[in-house]
């Protein structure tokens, strides 16, 4: 398995992981057209002393304020102007200290003019098993004029001309890219003496950091025995409708990996169905940005002891755009009737940090206006393929009672939550997913 990064560069091992604070970047996946905001975890506030960019290293020095009572964790924000395409290393220092306070590795993709598009955009670095890539022009014209590719030359990373195989009509060509070290590389399209270059057209990856891989959450992938003789299995499907391979950063299907790429590489027009194993608290598929939006997913849990009663319950597969980083997540109309068991499940996706965090769930009865608070604690994920996880069994209420539940997000971390409602008699499961975000309602507020 390739090396992985959990929110920052593990390769800089001179500084212990537990000593570093997480860094949040907005946007998560910047292009060369995007200003970047960095959010640093500090206590009692801070001011930015200096920001210096030298080559691909960004050094930020912050002056963290002294003591305050009570000590409050806040997000110190540092603004960066748009950066050229490339790979960058961020190093954050406290003023007057030499030890790195926080660090991050990230990639800035090309947000400017592009002559060609390459798919797949992301390839593993320095491997012998490289898939072919498909090259098209962004203006919709043929790569090969009139379908004739005899005078077309394509170079990757400024290397030697590569053999191309045209599709009928010449609108696209296929080629096998050369091996290359990690990083963004250009593609040159050459017709005679004319050279059209697209900077940062292809990305060779070695690290699955958040700027280049989207975290896609499968909330449960497991097989287990439940109450009243029930036996639950989860069934997942991952579909790649594209004519090209997609190189994921990991695989979820429980197989013994002998030779790369095992299940990490999705074949063109593939439809992979598998049963979940050993992920009772969810799993994360890391899929390269630029390719992940075109993939499709399905997840269902079924009670095999009652196959005549139904085909199971669909569980959402959650993309980053469906998660919340700063807003409260609202679950509405949750039954509290004693005939049902209600479990609240919450997930947090990188960056998370090394310290468990307690999160508040506010339970509101919209009819009586009564509100209660319960707290639950997240586990620290073991790697980037597991989310931080927390669960809470809600106590039963009165017959017919329903509640709204408002769950605070984990600090500056992608967070998602859902509830399962299980009928005690039939074992039928209903899922309740977030219906919006925003603050918990204030029933005592008076209109001015």
């Amino acid at each position: 398995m390739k090396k992985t990064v959990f929110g920052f560069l593990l390769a800089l091992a001179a500084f212990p992981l537990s000593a570093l604070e997480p860094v949040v970047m907005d946007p998560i996946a910047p292009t060369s057209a995007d200003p970047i905001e960095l959010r640093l975890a500090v206590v009692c506030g801070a001011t930015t002393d200096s920001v210096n960019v030298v080559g691909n290293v960004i050094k930020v020095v912050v002056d963290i304020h002294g003591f305050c009572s009570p000590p409050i964790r806040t997000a110190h924000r540092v603004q960066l102007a748009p950066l050229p395409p490339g790979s960058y290393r961020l190093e954050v220092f406290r003023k007057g200290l030499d030890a790195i306070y926080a660090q991050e590795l990230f990639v800035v993709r090309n947000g400017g003019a592009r002559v060609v598009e390459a798919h797949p955009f992301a390839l593993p670095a320095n491997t012998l098993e490289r898939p072919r890539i498909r090259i098209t022009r962004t203006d919709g014209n043929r790569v090969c004029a009139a379908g004739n590719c005899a005078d077309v030359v394509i170079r990757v990373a400024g290397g030697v001309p590569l053999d191309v195989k045209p599709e009928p009509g010449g609108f696209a060509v296929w080629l096998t890219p050369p091996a290359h070290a990690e990083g963004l590389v250009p593609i040159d399209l050459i017709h005679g003496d004319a050279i059209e270059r697209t900077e940062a057209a292809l990305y060779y990856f070695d690290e699955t950091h958040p700027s280049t891989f989207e975290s896609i959450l499968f909330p449960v992938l497991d097989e287990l025995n439940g109450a009243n003789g029930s036996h639950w299995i989860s069934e997942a499907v991952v579909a790649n409708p594209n004519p090209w391979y997609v190189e994921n950063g990991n695989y979820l299907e429980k197989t013994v990996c002998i030779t790369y790429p095992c299940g990490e590489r999705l074949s063109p027009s593939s439809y992979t169905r598998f049963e979940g194993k050993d992920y009772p608290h969810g799993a994360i598929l890391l899929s390269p940005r630029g390719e992940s939006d075109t993939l499709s997913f399905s997840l269902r849990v079924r009670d095999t002891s009652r196959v005549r009663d139904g085909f199971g319950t669909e569980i959402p597969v959650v993309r980053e755009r469906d998660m919340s980083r700063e807003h409260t997540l609202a679950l509405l109309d949750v039954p509290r009737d004693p005939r049902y068991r209600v479990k609240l499940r919450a997930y947090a996706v990188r960056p998370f940090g090394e310290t468990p965090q307690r999160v508040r769930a506010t339970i509101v009865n919209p009819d009586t206006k009564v509100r209660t608070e319960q707290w639950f604690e997240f586990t620290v994920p073991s790697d980037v393929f597991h989310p931080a996880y927390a669960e809470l069994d809600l106590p039963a209420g009165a017959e017919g009672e329903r509640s709204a539940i408002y769950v605070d997000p984990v600090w500056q971390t992608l967070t998602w939550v859902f509830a399962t409602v299980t009928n005690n008699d039939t074992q039928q499961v209903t899922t309740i997913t977030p219906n919006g975000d925003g603050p918990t309602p204030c029933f005592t507020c008076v209109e001015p």
Side-chain angles (χ1 to χ4, degrees):
M1 181 64 66
K2 298 175 290 302
K3 293 182 293 181
T4 60
V5 168
F6 182 42
F8 35 80
L9 183 60
L10 295 181
L12 300 178
F15 303 97
L17 187 63
S18 59
L20 299 178
E21 289 289 338
V23 179
V24 175
M25 186 159 43
D26 189 15
I28 299 175
T31 73
S32 56
D34 299 321
I36 301 171
E37 180 179 84
L38 305 175
R39 301 173 190 167
L40 309 173
V42 298
V43 176
C44 300
T47 55
T48 302
D49 184 75
S50 62
V51 178
N52 294 298
V53 181
V54 180
N56 71 331
V57 178
I58 303 168
K59 182 177 180 180
V60 177
V61 178
V62 294
D63 186 4
I64 298 179
H65 298 167
F67 298 100
C68 60
S69 181
I72 300 175
R73 193 184 197 200
T74 62
H76 177 62
R77 300 169 189 262
V78 179
Q79 307 297 327
L80 300 179
L83 297 167
S87 299
Y88 292 88
R89 187 173 75 250
L90 169 71
E91 298 176 348
V92 181
F93 295 84
R94 293 187 63 172
K95 186 177 180 180
L97 300 178
D98 293 331
I100 292 179
Y101 179 76
Q103 59 188 5
E104 178 70 273
L105 176 73
F106 66 95
V107 167
V108 175
R109 294 183 295 168
N110 186 356
R114 298 186 301 275
V115 177
V116 299
E117 292 279 0
H119 289 287
F121 165 74
L123 301 171
N126 288 326
T127 65
L128 299 177
E129 296 291 334
R130 293 180 305 282
R132 291 195 306 163
I133 62 175
R134 184 176 187 261
I135 306 292
T136 57
R137 292 189 63 98
T138 58
D139 58 13
N141 294 324
R142 290 180 172 89
V143 177
C144 304
N148 179 14
C149 289
D151 62 342
V152 172
V153 174
I154 294 181
R155 293 188 308 213
V156 173
V160 299
L162 301 172
D163 295 330
V164 299
K165 182 178 180 180
E167 289 184 358
F171 283 96
V173 298
W174 293 80
L175 58 87
T176 300
H180 200 277
E182 187 275 339
L184 289 160
V185 299
I187 291 179
D188 294 321
L189 179 60
I190 305 172
H191 290 271
D193 295 331
I195 301 177
E196 297 178 285
R197 167 163 285 198
T198 299
E199 297 290 349
L202 197 63
Y203 177 61
Y204 287 85
F205 66 84
D206 192 25
E207 311 286 355
T208 55
H209 42 79
S211 66
T212 53
F213 280 79
E214 180 182 5
S215 296
I216 300 170
L217 171 66
F218 288 70
V220 59
L221 283 174
D222 201 17
E223 179 180 10
L224 71 158
N225 295 317
N228 301 323
S230 59
H231 180 76
W232 296 94
I233 62 170
S234 57
E235 298 175 333
V237 174
V238 178
N240 174 23
N242 301 299
W244 53 80
Y245 290 90
V246 173
E247 296 279 339
N248 290 321
N250 65 319
Y251 59 97
L252 302 180
E253 188 174 2
K254 285 295 182 179
T255 58
V256 178
C257 185
I258 303 299
T259 304
Y260 175 80
C262 296
E264 299 177 37
R265 178 174 295 172
L266 297 180
S267 299
S269 302
S270 61
Y271 186 93
T272 304
R273 182 190 294 113
F274 58 96
E275 293 184 0
K277 300 285 186 181
D278 302 329
Y279 295 109
H281 298 158
I284 293 172
L285 176 67
L286 297 176
S287 190
R289 302 183 188 276
E291 309 293 343
S292 60
D293 283 347
T294 64
L295 302 181
S296 301
F297 310 100
S298 173
L299 179 60
R300 181 182 294 111
V301 294
R302 293 199 297 130
D303 180 4
T304 59
S305 69
R306 292 173 173 83
V307 292
R308 297 179 182 178
D309 298 333
F311 202 65
T313 300
E314 182 179 10
I315 304 295
V317 176
V318 189
R319 297 178 183 269
E320 287 181 356
R321 61 176 177 264
D322 302 315
M323 303 178 191
S324 175
R325 175 171 279 163
E326 297 180 280
H327 302 290
T328 298
L329 292 162
L331 301 176
L332 305 181
D333 210 30
V334 179
R336 304 292 302 285
D337 193 296
R339 293 173 296 179
Y340 303 97
R341 306 190 305 274
V342 180
K343 184 183 290 289
L344 193 65
R345 293 173 166 89
Y347 305 82
V349 177
R350 62 184 182 175
F352 184 78
E354 289 296 295
T355 304
Q357 297 192 37
R358 296 176 71 235
V359 171
R360 179 183 59 182
T362 303
I363 305 168
V364 178
N365 185 319
D367 297 321
T368 64
K369 314 303 182 187
V370 173
R371 55 191 294 165
T372 58
E373 292 182 354
Q374 294 200 30
W375 294 78
F376 50 101
E377 188 170 282
F378 278 84
T379 61
V380 175
S382 57
D383 53 41
V384 294
F385 310 132
H386 294 79
Y389 176 78
E391 65 179 39
L392 182 65
D393 292 311
L394 298 185
E399 182 177 350
E401 180 181 348
R402 301 186 187 188
S403 296
I405 302 173
Y406 300 88
V407 180
D408 295 339
V410 176
W411 190 89
Q412 291 294 320
T413 300
L414 292 170
T415 308
W416 191 75
V417 63
F418 82 117
T420 56
V421 183
T422 305
N423 186 299
N424 290 326
D425 295 327
T426 66
Q427 301 306 305
Q428 179 188 13
V429 175
T430 300
T431 60
I432 300 176
T433 55
N435 296 285
D437 52 41
T440 306
C442 177
F443 295 118
T444 60
C445 297
V446 178
E447 183 178 344

